[in-house]
Amino acid sequence: METAWDCAGALLRNVKDVLLLCSVSRPLTFMGSQTKKVLLAPLKHPARPFRVSSHDRSSRRGLMAGSLGELLSKTLDALMITSRLVTLVLEEDGTVVDTEEFFQTLGDNTHFMALEKGQKWTPGGNCVPARQPPRRSGIVRVTLDLYKLNPRDVIGCLNVKATMYGMYSVSYDIRCMGLKALLRSLLRVLSHAAQVTGQFLVYAGTYMLQVLANTEEQVVAGSRCRQGVTSG
C-alpha cells in the first residue's frame, strides 16, 4: 500500500512540475516573439525635404518624404500625374533613382524629375556640359581700378591688374598723394631740374670760354707769323 501511495505522490509531483514549466515557458516564448518582431521591423526614416518637377520643368513642387515610395506617391498627387509608370531621376544629370538604398544617400533638398512612359530627361537652360572647356577671350586681360583713400585726394590711387590665361594675375598699386604733397613733390623735381640745368650751363659756358680762348691764341700766333714773313 505504501509503495502505491508513494508512486501516486511522485506522479502528482511530476505533473505539477510539468504544469509549472509550461506556465513559465509561455511568457518567455511570447516575449521572444515580440522581441523578434521589434528587431526585424523595418526602420522608419524621418521625413526630409525634396523638390520635384515635371519633365519640361514647367511645374515644380516641394515635398516631405522619408522613403522613395512615399516620395513617388506624393509626386503623383502633387504634379497630378495619372500614369502609374513614373520614374524619378536627378534633375541635374538624369541619374535614375530606383532603389531605397541610393535614395537614402541623397541629401536634403535634392531636385528630382518625374518622367512618364516615353519621356526623356533633357538638360536645363543653366546646365553646362562637364566636358566643355572654359572659354578664353584672350591671353591677357588688364583691369584698371581707380579709388581714393581719402575723400580730399584730388587724383586718388590707381590699381592695375593683369590676368594671363585666366590663371595667373599680377597687380600693382599706384598711390597718388594729396594736392599739397603733389605740389611739394613737383617743386622738388623742378628744383632738382633747375640745379642740373644750372650746372650744365656753367659747364657749357666754361667750355665755350676755353674754345674761344684757344681760337684767339691761334689767331694771334698766325698774325705774328705773317708779320715775320713780311719783314724778311
Side-chain angles (χ1 to χ4, degrees), residues 24-85:
V24 174
S25 62
R26 287 180 181 176
L28 292 177
T29 304
F30 177 75
M31 292 176 61
S33 62
Q34 293 297 326
T35 305
K36 185 177 181 181
K37 289 181 180 179
V38 173
L39 294 177
L40 296 179
L43 297 177
K44 185 176 181 181
H45 299 279
R48 296 184 297 152
F50 296 100
R51 293 179 296 164
V52 295
S53 62
S54 57
H55 73 286
D56 56 356
R57 298 179 177 85
S58 61
S59 179
R60 301 172 184 264
R61 295 290 186 274
L63 301 175
M64 297 288 295
S67 63
L68 180 60
E70 183 180 2
L71 178 62
L72 185 59
S73 178
K74 290 185 177 181
T75 300
L76 297 177
D77 297 336
L79 300 180
M80 294 182 292
I81 300 176
T82 58
S83 176
R84 294 298 172 180
L85 298 177

Side-chain angles (χ1 to χ4, degrees), residues 59-170:
S59 179
R60 301 172 184 264
R61 295 290 186 274
L63 301 175
M64 297 288 295
S67 63
L68 180 60
E70 183 180 2
L71 178 62
L72 185 59
S73 178
K74 290 185 177 181
T75 300
L76 297 177
D77 297 336
L79 300 180
M80 294 182 292
I81 300 176
T82 58
S83 176
R84 294 298 172 180
L85 298 177
V86 177
T87 304
L88 289 180
V89 300
L90 295 180
E91 192 273 343
E92 58 182 359
D93 57 3
T95 302
V96 178
V97 182
D98 55 357
T99 60
E100 185 68 26
E101 291 79 7
F102 179 65
F103 173 78
Q104 294 299 333
T105 61
L106 300 176
D108 297 349
N109 295 314
T110 301
H111 195 175
F112 293 92
M113 177 182 292
L115 299 179
E116 300 181 41
K117 186 177 180 180
Q119 296 177 350
K120 295 183 179 180
W121 174 85
T122 55
N126 298 327
C127 181
V128 179
R131 295 184 179 180
Q132 182 178 359
R135 295 182 179 179
R136 297 177 180 177
S137 56
I139 299 176
V140 180
R141 183 179 62 184
V142 180
T143 305
L144 302 178
D145 185 15
L146 184 64
Y147 62 95
K148 291 184 178 181
L149 297 176
N150 192 341
R152 296 181 180 180
D153 293 343
V154 178
I155 300 177
C157 303
L158 180 64
N159 177 264
V160 181
K161 183 177 181 181
T163 304
M164 294 170 286
Y165 296 103
M167 299 174 61
Y168 308 100
S169 62
V170 179

